[in-house]
Amino acid sequence: MFGAVIAGVLVIAGAVWAFGGGDSTAAPVTATSTFVPTAFELRGTLSLNDGVTSVTSSGECAGYRGYDDIYEGSQVTVYDAAGKAVGLGRLYNAQYSAGSCVFEFTVGNVPLGDEIYQVEVSHRGKVSYKVEDAKSGRVSLSLGR
């Protein structure tokens, strides 16, 4: 039995050596690829200006007087340069400050590849931004007077 175990070990060792396991001069394998992002997260704000906002006693705010489609949860759509919708998000974190209701929004996984992106809140029309601004969170929209 002991002889069979030694014979098996020798066969395995021979196979490893024969198929390159015994070659200590082989070049080490190194990773040379670099991660290249294919998408980004677009962040921004929407200010709904005084005169078209309603504020509760707890400080929550939303639009009214023709702007009642603007509230936490309203849809934000991002379009590529050709006008194709490439991302969806929602308004959130509404804060009343200095006469305006300011919302934040985030749209994740916006595909890279265009120099211009368009952003639309609800049905209020598209506003264009350069890719550098879209990628760095410098998207700032405004409605009302």
Side-chain angles (χ1 to χ4, degrees):
M1 172 96 159
F2 182 71
V5 170
I6 292 191
V9 169
L10 289 175
V11 168
I12 292 172
V16 168
W17 182 83
F19 292 106
D23 183 6
S24 63
T25 62
V29 177
T30 59
T32 59
S33 64
T34 303
F35 174 73
V36 177
T38 58
F40 68 97
E41 180 178 84
L42 186 144
R43 291 173 285 109
T45 60
L46 168 71
S47 295
L48 189 58
N49 296 318
D50 199 21
V52 295
T53 60
S54 65
V55 182
T56 66
S57 60
S58 64
E60 296 173 358
C61 55
Y64 83 115
R65 291 188 184 164
Y67 292 86
D68 54 353
D69 59 316
I70 306 298
Y71 53 88
E72 284 194 18
S74 292
Q75 183 170 295
V76 178
T77 307
V78 176
Y79 300 88
D80 64 12
K84 176 184 171 194
V86 294
L88 294 174
R90 300 266 178 215
L91 295 178
Y92 65 92
N93 196 27
Q95 300 289 319
Y96 189 77
S97 174
S100 295
C101 186
V102 181
F103 299 86
E104 296 177 37
F105 58 87
T106 303
V107 180
N109 295 314
V110 176
L112 283 168
D114 287 305
E115 291 300 314
I116 300 290
Y117 289 88
Q118 300 171 344
V119 179
E120 180 177 40
V121 176
S122 187
H123 64 277
R124 297 294 174 159
K126 300 173 188 173
V127 179
S128 297
Y129 290 90
K130 292 181 180 180
V131 66
E132 297 85 18
D133 294 332
K135 287 172 55 178
S136 66
R138 291 189 305 255
V139 174
S140 180
L141 303 166
S142 179
L143 288 171
R145 9 178 200 151

